[in-house]
Amino acid sequence: MAVLIPALGSCAGRMTSGEKRLAERLQQKLENDYLLWWDVPIGPKQTRPDFVVVHPRRGALILETKDWHLETICKATREYFEILDSGTGQPKVVMSPLQQARHCAIQVINALERDPQLVQGEGPHQGKLAFPWGHGVVFTRITRKQFDAAGLGDALPGHLVICQDEMVEAVDAEAFQQRLWNMFPHSFGRAISLPQLDRIRWILFPEIRVPQQQNLFGEEVHDEEDLPDIMRVMDLQQEQLARSLGDGHRVIHGVAGSGKTMILGYRAEHLAQTQTADSKPILVLCYNEPLAVKLAAGMAAKGLSERVHVVHWDKWTRAQLTAYNLYTLELDALHVSKKFDEIARSVIKGVDDKHIPAGQYHAVLIDEGHDFAPEWLRLVTQMVDPSTNSLLLLYDDAQSIYDRGQKRNFSLKSVGIQAPGRTTILKINYRNTRQILQLAHRVAGDMLTPEDAKDEDGIPLLKPLSCGREGPEPIVIDLPTLPARAGRVADLLADQHAQGHAWGEMAVLCRHKDEMLVCADALRRKGLPYRVRQKSGDFKPEHDSIKVMTMHASKGLEWPVVAVVTSEEERKARDVKKDGTLEARLVYVASTRATGLAISA
């Protein structure tokens, strides 16, 4: 069965009856190496062909679908059709459907021919696309007999048309495919390679490009002379998931580096673009303040700050109490360890007592949901406007690094999340090289033993699978003291800068704050630019400096080069004895922040 993007179940309600039948036929009659897109904006001009069909050996095909009855068509020429308007019943002139398909195809081909790796490098067709392409029309309510009797072949060449009786459920798969491939003016043998397929998707669908974290959700501009050598895109499961997220509650269980945050960004942007002027705002909520800063910067770069509110948990709960005059002086008198939890309890009580309104947001998107206590998730779920009921929860129990007591001993249903049949699991890690992921697995030990949820409503523990990307072996620093290890880290980061890495592409992640200060001092003595994140407001992702922060604060972020600095042996032994699983999770999370080189100190 061919892969349709978006998934048919999520888009069938927006299709015409004819488009739905054609989508079903394409899925049923084509093998699983065919890729199909329906009504997806394409290329620089964001044209929207009805269907795009891509096959590695056949090439690319653009299809225009028409649900016209024969009596709808008053006159047909190669350039224009005169049809009866479905609303008024009066004649109107429209572009020929074949010209519509050709217009979309030309937009696609022009965009692809900009890429030297997608065109023929020599011979009589030098500079032309390296694989076949074609276009055609599908009449879902006109039979071939009616087509021929009406003389429509004078306006539309018959081999470029599929008629109603040629796309019925009983049609032979081989005959149906032959109808499609008759639409190609030329056929030649060069197959589309997997890297070329990624390049095609990168060029045609900018929204599925995988940027470095420094450009997360920001617009990457590439002119004709500036196409990158490597074009990273969402994999097909990620793209289909991102484009198929519909209404209701949705849950994605995904391992570190599986693209959860990228999908969240796509979803937030899509929701914002479909909002009306009087819609409530969209809330993107996470526990970690640096991650919220990064996500907020991405939304600001898209011009979405007014419609998409990105905040971390502490800021959001405080804002709720302040806005509804429930923040009291007694809260300020509490020790910081108790103040945080008491603020959350006060918000929960405020909602229960109807002092804080529920349903404040058009949609709620929760990143790193494993950082939230069950009662927090129950509270946030109530913030979704019942008229939209739009909730997205991203979760990875392996990255749960806070002791929230019951944690996995709860079901999603118990906290108000209703996502039966709308839960997806992403197991492939794309962020880390194979070598980094092997290091993370060694650090994690038994903590990453996979454990399935008892049912779809439970919380699974997932072990990440490598996408196979290769990189340098992690560097392990085995020196007896923390200052010595910190000094060696500084030397290695200086070397990485000399090899071409910007300072802002590096981070030093420490277990405790006093270790951060030792590492910062080593960077200072080496004369390297750095920025220490000790409290909210300190993290400035746009600064071209080495980021020094705790492992906890690094959740959800990534850099090409990451040094993970663990505690002194005595303290490390004490930490592990206190809670070895949490310590293993912490170092696992820190190690998986690196996209290229990991340094373990």
Side-chain angles (χ1 to χ4, degrees), residues 258-274:
S258 60
K260 298 186 300 298
T261 299
M262 180 172 60
I263 292 170
L264 177 143
Y266 180 97
R267 177 63 172 167
E269 183 178 355
H270 171 74
L271 288 171
Q273 291 173 344
T274 57

Side-chain angles (χ1 to χ4, degrees), residues 494-513:
D495 290 344
Q496 289 298 307
H497 181 67
Q499 294 177 35
H501 281 294
W503 299 117
E505 294 180 337
M506 307 182 207
V508 179
L509 310 180
C510 303
R511 176 63 182 88
H512 302 96
K513 287 190 175 182

Side-chain angles (χ1 to χ4, degrees), residues 252-256 258 395-399 408 424-427 447-453 459-465 588:
I252 300 175
H253 296 288
V255 299
S258 60
Y395 210 102
D396 177 18
D397 194 59
Q399 296 187 71
R408 298 178 69 232
T424 304
I425 292 178
L426 301 176
K427 292 185 179 181
M447 185 271 290
L448 276 184
T449 302
E451 182 179 334
D452 292 334
I459 309 295
L461 179 60
L462 306 176
K463 182 175 182 178
L465 303 176
Y588 166 75

Side-chain angles (χ1 to χ4, degrees), residues 66 68 97 137-142 147 156 161-164:
K66 294 300 181 186
W68 296 340
V137 177
V138 180
F139 285 125
T140 64
R141 294 177 175 175
I142 297 175
F147 179 89
L156 304 174
V161 176
I162 294 177
C163 293
Q164 179 185 20

